[in-house]
Amino acid sequence: MKKSKQELLDKGWKVIGNDGVLEYLAKENEHGEILYIPVHNGHTLGFSQSIKKNVIKLLFDFIS
């Protein structure tokens, strides 16, 4: 179900940046995972995805 960017911001999501025409919002859940979702023209695209924080660190170290 599409949601507006403002709905997510009101629920504690944060803008983390842009990648071309997409804007990304993210938040941490109670399990230490990062939830993220792309936004285009003020509305979400698809469903939120999750990734564990330790996997983010591994990926960051790989690209650095």
Coordinates of all heavy atoms in Angstrom, one line a residue:
M1 N 0.8 -1.2 0.0 CA 0.0 0.0 0.0 C 0.9 1.2 0.0 O 1.8 1.4 0.8 CB -0.9 0.0 1.2 CG -1.8 1.2 1.4 SD -3.0 0.9 2.7 CE -3.0 2.4 3.5
K2 N 0.7 2.1 -0.9 CA 1.4 3.4 -1.0 C 1.2 4.2 0.2 O 0.0 4.4 0.6 CB 1.1 4.2 -2.3 CG 1.9 3.8 -3.5 CD 1.6 4.8 -4.6 CE 2.5 4.5 -5.7 NZ 2.4 5.5 -6.8
K3 N 2.2 4.8 0.7 CA 2.1 5.8 1.8 C 2.7 7.1 1.4 O 3.6 7.1 0.6 CB 2.7 5.3 3.1 CG 2.0 4.1 3.7 CD 2.5 3.7 5.0 CE 1.7 2.6 5.6 NZ 2.0 2.3 6.9
S4 N 2.3 8.1 2.0 CA 3.0 9.4 1.7 C 4.3 9.5 2.6 O 4.4 8.9 3.6 CB 2.1 10.6 2.0 OG 1.9 10.8 3.4
K5 N 5.2 10.3 2.0 CA 6.4 10.6 2.8 C 6.1 11.2 4.1 O 6.7 10.8 5.1 CB 7.3 11.5 1.9 CG 8.5 12.0 2.6 CD 9.2 13.0 1.7 CE 10.4 13.7 2.5 NZ 11.0 14.7 1.7
Q6 N 5.1 12.1 4.2 CA 4.8 12.7 5.4 C 4.3 11.7 6.5 O 4.6 11.8 7.7 CB 3.8 13.8 5.2 CG 3.6 14.7 6.4 CD 4.9 15.4 6.9 OE1 5.6 16.0 6.1 NE2 5.2 15.2 8.2
E7 N 3.5 10.7 6.1 CA 3.0 9.7 7.0 C 4.2 9.0 7.7 O 4.2 8.8 8.9 CB 2.2 8.6 6.2 CG 0.8 9.1 5.9 CD 0.1 8.0 5.1 OE1 -0.4 7.0 5.8 OE2 0.1 8.0 3.9
L8 N 5.2 8.7 6.9 CA 6.4 8.0 7.4 C 7.2 8.9 8.3 O 7.6 8.5 9.4 CB 7.2 7.4 6.3 CG 6.6 6.3 5.5 CD1 7.5 5.8 4.4 CD2 6.2 5.1 6.4
L9 N 7.4 10.1 7.9 CA 8.1 11.1 8.8 C 7.4 11.2 10.1 O 8.0 11.3 11.2 CB 8.2 12.4 8.1 CG 9.1 12.4 6.8 CD1 9.1 13.8 6.1 CD2 10.6 12.1 7.2
D10 N 6.1 11.3 10.1 CA 5.3 11.4 11.3 C 5.4 10.2 12.2 O 5.3 10.3 13.4 CB 3.8 11.6 11.0 CG 3.5 13.0 10.4 OD1 4.4 13.9 10.4 OD2 2.4 13.1 9.8
K11 N 5.8 9.0 11.6 CA 6.0 7.8 12.4 C 7.5 7.6 12.8 O 7.9 6.5 13.2 CB 5.5 6.6 11.6 CG 4.0 6.6 11.5 CD 3.5 5.4 10.7 CE 2.0 5.5 10.6 NZ 1.5 4.3 9.8
G12 N 8.3 8.6 12.6 CA 9.7 8.5 13.1 C 10.7 8.1 12.0 O 11.9 7.9 12.4
W13 N 10.3 7.9 10.8 CA 11.3 7.7 9.7 C 12.1 8.9 9.4 O 11.6 10.0 9.7 CB 10.6 7.2 8.4 CG 9.9 5.9 8.5 CD1 8.8 5.5 9.2 CD2 10.3 4.7 7.9 NE1 8.5 4.2 9.1 CE2 9.4 3.7 8.2 CE3 11.4 4.4 7.0 CZ2 9.6 2.4 7.7 CZ3 11.5 3.1 6.5 CH2 10.6 2.1 6.9
K14 N 13.3 8.8 9.0 CA 14.2 9.9 8.6 C 14.6 9.8 7.2 O 14.8 8.7 6.6 CB 15.5 9.8 9.5 CG 15.2 9.7 11.0 CD 15.3 11.1 11.6 CE 15.3 11.0 13.1 NZ 14.0 11.2 13.7
V15 N 14.8 11.0 6.6 CA 15.3 11.1 5.2 C 16.8 10.8 5.3 O 17.5 11.4 6.1 CB 15.1 12.5 4.6 CG1 15.7 12.6 3.2 CG2 13.6 12.7 4.5
I16 N 17.3 9.8 4.5 CA 18.7 9.5 4.6 C 19.5 9.9 3.3 O 20.7 9.8 3.3 CB 19.0 8.0 4.9 CG1 18.3 7.1 3.8 CG2 18.5 7.7 6.3 CD1 18.7 5.7 3.9
G17 N 18.8 10.4 2.3 CA 19.5 10.8 1.1 C 18.7 10.5 -0.2 O 17.6 10.0 -0.2
N18 N 19.4 10.9 -1.3 CA 18.8 10.8 -2.6 C 19.7 10.0 -3.5 O 20.9 10.0 -3.3 CB 18.6 12.1 -3.3 CG 17.6 13.0 -2.5 OD1 16.4 12.6 -2.4 ND2 18.1 14.1 -1.9
D19 N 19.1 9.3 -4.4 CA 19.8 8.5 -5.5 C 19.1 8.8 -6.8 O 18.2 8.1 -7.1 CB 19.9 7.0 -5.1 CG 20.6 6.2 -6.2 OD1 21.4 6.8 -6.9 OD2 20.3 5.0 -6.3
G20 N 19.5 9.8 -7.5 CA 18.8 10.2 -8.7 C 17.5 10.8 -8.3 O 17.4 11.7 -7.5
V21 N 16.4 10.3 -8.9 CA 15.1 10.8 -8.6 C 14.4 10.2 -7.4 O 13.4 10.6 -6.9 CB 14.1 10.6 -9.8 CG1 14.6 11.3 -11.0 CG2 14.0 9.1 -10.1
L22 N 15.1 9.2 -6.8 CA 14.5 8.5 -5.6 C 15.1 9.1 -4.3 O 16.3 9.4 -4.2 CB 14.8 7.0 -5.6 CG 14.2 6.2 -6.7 CD1 14.6 4.8 -6.6 CD2 12.7 6.3 -6.7
E23 N 14.3 9.3 -3.3 CA 14.7 9.7 -2.0 C 14.5 8.5 -1.1 O 13.6 7.7 -1.3 CB 13.8 10.9 -1.6 CG 14.1 11.4 -0.2 CD 13.3 12.7 0.1 OE1 12.1 12.7 -0.3 OE2 13.8 13.6 0.7
Y24 N 15.4 8.3 -0.1 CA 15.3 7.2 0.7 C 15.0 7.6 2.2 O 15.6 8.6 2.7 CB 16.6 6.3 0.7 CG 16.7 5.5 -0.5 CD1 17.2 6.0 -1.7 CD2 16.2 4.2 -0.6 CE1 17.3 5.3 -2.9 CE2 16.3 3.4 -1.7 CZ 16.8 4.0 -2.9 OH 16.9 3.3 -4.0
L25 N 14.1 6.9 2.8 CA 13.8 7.1 4.2 C 14.1 5.8 5.0 O 14.1 4.7 4.4 CB 12.3 7.3 4.4 CG 11.7 8.7 4.2 CD1 12.0 9.2 2.8 CD2 10.3 8.8 4.6
A26 N 14.5 5.9 6.2 CA 14.9 4.8 7.0 C 14.6 5.0 8.5 O 14.4 6.1 8.9 CB 16.4 4.5 6.8
K27 N 14.6 3.9 9.2 CA 14.5 3.9 10.7 C 15.0 2.6 11.2 O 15.0 1.6 10.4 CB 13.0 4.2 11.1 CG 12.1 3.0 11.0 CD 10.8 3.3 11.6 CE 9.9 2.1 11.7 NZ 8.6 2.4 12.5
E28 N 15.4 2.5 12.4 CA 15.8 1.3 13.1 C 14.6 0.7 13.8 O 13.9 1.4 14.5 CB 17.0 1.6 14.1 CG 17.6 0.4 14.6 CD 18.8 0.7 15.5 OE1 19.3 1.8 15.5 OE2 19.3 -0.3 16.1
N29 N 14.5 -0.6 13.7 CA 13.4 -1.3 14.4 C 13.9 -1.9 15.7 O 15.1 -1.7 16.1 CB 12.7 -2.4 13.6 CG 13.6 -3.6 13.3 OD1 14.6 -3.8 13.9 ND2 13.2 -4.4 12.3
E30 N 13.1 -2.5 16.5 CA 13.4 -3.0 17.8 C 14.4 -4.2 17.8 O 14.9 -4.6 18.8 CB 12.1 -3.4 18.6 CG 11.3 -4.5 18.0 CD 10.3 -4.0 16.9 OE1 10.3 -2.9 16.6 OE2 9.6 -4.9 16.4
H31 N 14.6 -4.8 16.6 CA 15.5 -5.9 16.5 C 16.9 -5.5 16.0 O 17.7 -6.3 15.6 CB 14.9 -6.9 15.5 CG 13.6 -7.4 15.9 ND1 13.3 -8.2 17.0 CD2 12.4 -7.2 15.3 CE1 12.1 -8.4 17.1 NE2 11.4 -7.8 16.1
G32 N 17.2 -4.2 15.9 CA 18.5 -3.7 15.5 C 18.7 -3.8 14.0 O 19.8 -3.7 13.5
E33 N 17.6 -3.9 13.3 CA 17.7 -3.9 11.8 C 17.3 -2.5 11.3 O 16.6 -1.7 11.9 CB 16.7 -4.8 11.2 CG 16.9 -6.3 11.6 CD 15.8 -7.2 11.1 OE1 14.6 -6.8 11.1 OE2 16.2 -8.3 10.7
I34 N 17.8 -2.1 10.1 CA 17.5 -0.9 9.5 C 16.5 -1.1 8.4 O 16.6 -2.0 7.6 CB 18.8 -0.2 8.9 CG1 19.9 0.0 9.9 CG2 18.4 1.1 8.2 CD1 19.5 0.9 11.0
L35 N 15.3 -0.5 8.6 CA 14.3 -0.5 7.6 C 14.5 0.7 6.6 O 14.7 1.8 7.1 CB 12.9 -0.4 8.2 CG 12.6 -1.5 9.3 CD1 11.2 -1.1 9.9 CD2 12.5 -2.9 8.7
Y36 N 14.3 0.5 5.4 CA 14.4 1.6 4.4 C 13.4 1.4 3.3 O 13.0 0.3 3.0 CB 15.9 1.7 3.9 CG 16.3 0.5 3.1 CD1 16.2 0.4 1.7 CD2 16.8 -0.7 3.7 CE1 16.6 -0.7 0.9 CE2 17.2 -1.8 3.0 CZ 17.1 -1.8 1.6 OH 17.5 -2.9 0.9
I37 N 13.1 2.5 2.7 CA 12.1 2.5 1.6 C 12.4 3.7 0.6 O 12.7 4.8 1.1 CB 10.7 2.5 2.1 CG1 9.6 2.2 1.0 CG2 10.3 3.8 2.8 CD1 8.3 1.8 1.6
P38 N 12.3 3.4 -0.7 CA 12.4 4.6 -1.6 C 11.1 5.3 -1.7 O 10.0 4.8 -1.6 CB 12.7 3.8 -2.9 CG 12.2 2.5 -2.8 CD 12.2 2.2 -1.3
V39 N 11.2 6.6 -2.0 CA 10.1 7.5 -2.2 C 10.3 8.3 -3.5 O 11.4 8.7 -3.8 CB 10.0 8.5 -1.0 CG1 9.0 9.6 -1.2 CG2 9.8 7.8 0.3
H40 N 9.2 8.4 -4.2 CA 9.3 9.2 -5.5 C 8.0 10.0 -5.6 O 6.9 9.6 -5.3 CB 9.3 8.2 -6.7 CG 9.4 8.9 -8.0 ND1 8.3 9.1 -8.8 CD2 10.5 9.4 -8.6 CE1 8.7 9.7 -9.9 NE2 10.1 9.9 -9.8
N41 N 8.2 11.3 -5.8 CA 7.1 12.3 -5.9 C 6.3 12.3 -4.6 O 5.0 12.3 -4.7 CB 6.3 12.1 -7.1 CG 7.0 12.4 -8.4 OD1 7.9 13.3 -8.4 ND2 6.7 11.8 -9.5
G42 N 6.9 12.1 -3.5 CA 6.2 12.2 -2.2 C 5.5 10.9 -1.8 O 4.8 10.9 -0.7
H43 N 5.6 9.8 -2.5 CA 4.9 8.6 -2.1 C 5.9 7.4 -2.2 O 6.8 7.4 -3.0 CB 3.8 8.3 -3.1 CG 2.6 9.2 -2.8 ND1 2.7 10.5 -2.4 CD2 1.3 9.0 -3.0 CE1 1.5 11.0 -2.3 NE2 0.6 10.2 -2.7
T44 N 5.7 6.4 -1.4 CA 6.6 5.2 -1.3 C 6.4 4.4 -2.5 O 5.4 4.4 -3.2 CB 6.2 4.4 -0.1 OG1 4.9 3.9 -0.1 CG2 6.5 5.1 1.2
L45 N 7.5 3.7 -2.8 CA 7.5 2.7 -3.9 C 7.7 1.3 -3.3 O 8.7 1.0 -2.8 CB 8.7 3.0 -4.9 CG 8.6 4.3 -5.6 CD1 9.9 4.5 -6.5 CD2 7.4 4.4 -6.5
G46 N 6.7 0.5 -3.4 CA 6.8 -0.9 -2.9 C 6.7 -0.9 -1.4 O 6.1 -0.1 -0.7
F47 N 7.4 -1.9 -0.8 CA 7.4 -2.1 0.6 C 8.8 -1.8 1.2 O 9.8 -1.9 0.5 CB 7.1 -3.6 0.9 CG 5.7 -4.0 0.4 CD1 5.5 -4.6 -0.8 CD2 4.6 -3.7 1.1 CE1 4.3 -5.0 -1.3 CE2 3.3 -4.1 0.7 CZ 3.2 -4.7 -0.6
S48 N 8.8 -1.6 2.5 CA 10.1 -1.4 3.1 C 10.9 -2.7 3.1 O 10.4 -3.8 3.1 CB 9.9 -0.9 4.6 OG 9.3 -1.9 5.4
Q49 N 12.2 -2.5 3.1 CA 13.2 -3.6 3.1 C 13.9 -3.5 4.4 O 14.0 -2.4 5.0 CB 14.2 -3.5 1.9 CG 13.5 -3.5 0.6 CD 12.9 -4.9 0.3 OE1 13.6 -5.9 0.5 NE2 11.7 -4.9 -0.3
S50 N 14.5 -4.6 4.9 CA 15.3 -4.5 6.1 C 16.7 -5.1 5.8 O 16.9 -6.0 5.0 CB 14.6 -5.2 7.3 OG 14.6 -6.6 7.0
I51 N 17.6 -4.6 6.6 CA 19.0 -5.1 6.6 C 19.6 -5.0 8.0 O 19.4 -4.0 8.6 CB 19.8 -4.4 5.5 CG1 21.2 -5.1 5.3 CG2 20.0 -2.9 5.8 CD1 21.9 -4.6 4.0
K52 N 20.4 -6.0 8.4 CA 21.0 -5.9 9.7 C 22.1 -4.9 9.7 O 22.8 -4.8 8.7 CB 21.5 -7.3 10.1 CG 20.3 -8.3 10.3 CD 20.8 -9.6 10.8 CE 19.6 -10.5 11.0 NZ 19.8 -11.6 11.8
K53 N 22.3 -4.3 10.8 CA 23.4 -3.3 10.9 C 24.8 -3.9 10.7 O 25.6 -3.2 10.0 CB 23.3 -2.6 12.3 CG 22.1 -1.7 12.5 CD 21.9 -1.3 13.9 CE 22.8 -0.1 14.3 NZ 22.6 0.4 15.6
N54 N 25.0 -5.1 11.1 CA 26.4 -5.7 10.9 C 26.6 -5.9 9.4 O 27.7 -5.8 8.9 CB 26.6 -7.0 11.7 CG 25.6 -8.1 11.3 OD1 24.5 -7.8 10.9 ND2 26.0 -9.3 11.6
V55 N 25.5 -6.2 8.6 CA 25.7 -6.4 7.1 C 26.0 -5.0 6.5 O 26.8 -4.9 5.6 CB 24.4 -7.0 6.5 CG1 24.5 -7.0 5.0 CG2 24.2 -8.4 7.1
I56 N 25.4 -4.0 7.0 CA 25.7 -2.6 6.5 C 27.2 -2.3 6.7 O 27.8 -1.8 5.8 CB 24.8 -1.6 7.1 CG1 23.3 -1.7 6.7 CG2 25.3 -0.1 6.8 CD1 22.3 -0.9 7.4
K57 N 27.7 -2.6 7.9 CA 29.1 -2.4 8.1 C 30.0 -3.2 7.2 O 30.9 -2.6 6.6 CB 29.5 -2.7 9.6 CG 30.9 -2.6 9.9 CD 31.2 -2.2 11.3 CE 32.7 -2.1 11.6 NZ 33.6 -1.8 10.5
L58 N 29.7 -4.4 6.9 CA 30.5 -5.2 6.0 C 30.4 -4.6 4.6 O 31.5 -4.5 3.9 CB 29.9 -6.7 5.9 CG 30.1 -7.5 7.2 CD1 29.3 -8.8 7.0 CD2 31.6 -7.8 7.4
L59 N 29.3 -4.2 4.1 CA 29.2 -3.6 2.8 C 29.9 -2.3 2.8 O 30.6 -2.0 1.8 CB 27.7 -3.4 2.5 CG 26.9 -4.7 2.2 CD1 25.4 -4.4 2.1 CD2 27.4 -5.4 1.0
F60 N 29.8 -1.5 3.8 CA 30.5 -0.2 3.9 C 32.0 -0.4 3.8 O 32.7 0.2 3.0 CB 30.2 0.6 5.1 CG 30.9 1.8 5.3 CD1 30.5 3.0 4.6 CD2 32.0 1.9 6.1 CE1 31.2 4.2 4.7 CE2 32.7 3.1 6.2 CZ 32.3 4.2 5.5
D61 N 32.5 -1.4 4.6 CA 34.0 -1.7 4.5 C 34.4 -2.2 3.1 O 35.5 -1.9 2.7 CB 34.3 -2.8 5.6 CG 34.2 -2.3 7.0 OD1 34.1 -1.1 7.2 OD2 34.1 -3.2 7.9
F62 N 33.5 -2.9 2.5 CA 33.9 -3.4 1.1 C 34.0 -2.3 0.1 O 34.9 -2.3 -0.7 CB 32.8 -4.4 0.7 CG 32.9 -4.8 -0.7 CD1 33.9 -5.7 -1.1 CD2 32.1 -4.4 -1.7 CE1 34.1 -6.2 -2.4 CE2 32.2 -4.8 -3.1 CZ 33.2 -5.7 -3.4
I63 N 33.1 -1.3 0.2 CA 33.2 -0.2 -0.8 C 34.1 0.9 -0.4 O 34.5 1.7 -1.3 CB 31.8 0.4 -1.1 CG1 31.2 1.0 0.1 CG2 30.9 -0.7 -1.7 CD1 29.9 1.8 -0.1
S64 N 34.6 0.9 0.8 CA 35.5 2.0 1.2 C 36.9 1.7 0.8 O 37.4 0.7 0.5 CB 35.5 2.1 2.7 OG 34.3 2.5 3.2

